[in-house]
Amino acid sequence: MSVLPALLPADPHTPFPPVEQALRHPDGLLAVGGDLTPTRLLNAYRHGIFPWYSKGQPILWWSPDPRAVFRTDGVRLSSKFRRGLRHCDWTVRADSAFAQVIEACAHIPRPGQRGTWIIKDMIQAYQRMHELGHAHSFEVFADGRLIGGIYGIAVGRMFFGESMFSAQSGGSKVALAALARHLYDWGWPLIDAQVENEHLVSLGAERWPRRPFLDAVEGLVDQPGLVGPWTQRVGDWPACRLAEPGTG
């Protein structure tokens, strides 16, 4: 039985083990322990590693192979869905409701899933990352009500998606597509989606072997990014624009 490398919480600068040492079963499990300080989290994402664990477990760190990845010009919305957006009055914003988005992602019921991995410690850690300008959310509003959203971590020109939710049909699709549209316009080519599922694949997620993914990440995280709130940069963006030809 393999023994996982243990990270010491006293030193968030401790390097992660090489991702090639990650287990095959369960796929991508790399290390255990450590902490969720901004220093450690940024170090993890820069190397294509993310935390994922449940209540009662120690912090577990992952780098799966293959990886689910969206090209920002490759998010797919069906023709029927696009047509429905033409006269839609939904509004998209960024970083205006981060706490509500992460709480919704933590608590919204999901088919086949019991409980949540977005536990209190994770919420607090990513809220801190948001306050420091590294974690961001895209939110979808209808008549002033939050109906969908997505959040993740930005490092350089790489966006690492964490979770998304819908409180109304199509809310998460619009959040993802709007995020992709804006990132594409800013010159950011990829969104990490971590582990594939049928829903992500239906929206255009691709399966990338770990090494090409990490090579792409390495070339993007050192480029000039956008640290700080994205609220004014995005403004009140009409979701109906996703019905136009182009990204999303």
Side-chain angles (χ1 to χ4, degrees), residues 82 181 240-248:
R82 284 178 182 274
R181 171 76 68 93
C240 62
R241 292 189 60 182
L242 293 171
E244 302 168 0
T247 308

Side-chain angles (χ1 to χ4, degrees), residues 110-228:
R110 301 178 192 273
Q113 177 177 309
R114 297 176 60 186
T116 179
W117 57 270
I118 309 175
I119 60 178
K120 182 179 178 180
D121 288 349
M122 291 281 276
I123 291 173
Q124 291 176 342
Y126 284 79
Q127 182 65 45
R128 178 58 176 152
M129 291 287 280
H130 174 64
E131 293 167 358
L132 294 173
H134 302 298
H136 303 278
S137 60
F138 264 59
E139 310 111 14
V140 184
F141 293 89
D143 297 322
R145 183 171 64 93
L146 181 66
I147 62 166
I150 186 172
Y151 78 95
I153 300 291
V155 184
R157 292 194 180 185
M158 181 70 201
F159 192 89
F160 300 89
E162 277 295 318
S163 188
M164 57 186 181
F165 84 97
S166 285
Q168 186 170 323
S169 179
S172 63
K173 291 182 183 180
V174 168
L176 171 63
L179 169 66
R181 171 76 68 93
H182 283 80
L183 293 179
Y184 179 79
D185 289 345
W186 300 343
W188 300 34
L190 300 175
I191 299 172
D192 173 34
Q194 298 182 349
V195 180
E196 73 171 348
N197 58 44
E198 290 185 6
H199 179 60
L200 295 179
V201 171
S202 73
L203 293 172
E206 303 175 1
R207 295 179 51 162
W208 284 35
R210 180 194 288 132
R211 179 41 55 191
F213 170 75
L214 294 179
D215 289 344
V217 167
E218 183 179 4
L220 291 169
V221 295
D222 287 330
Q223 295 186 25
L226 295 171
V227 178

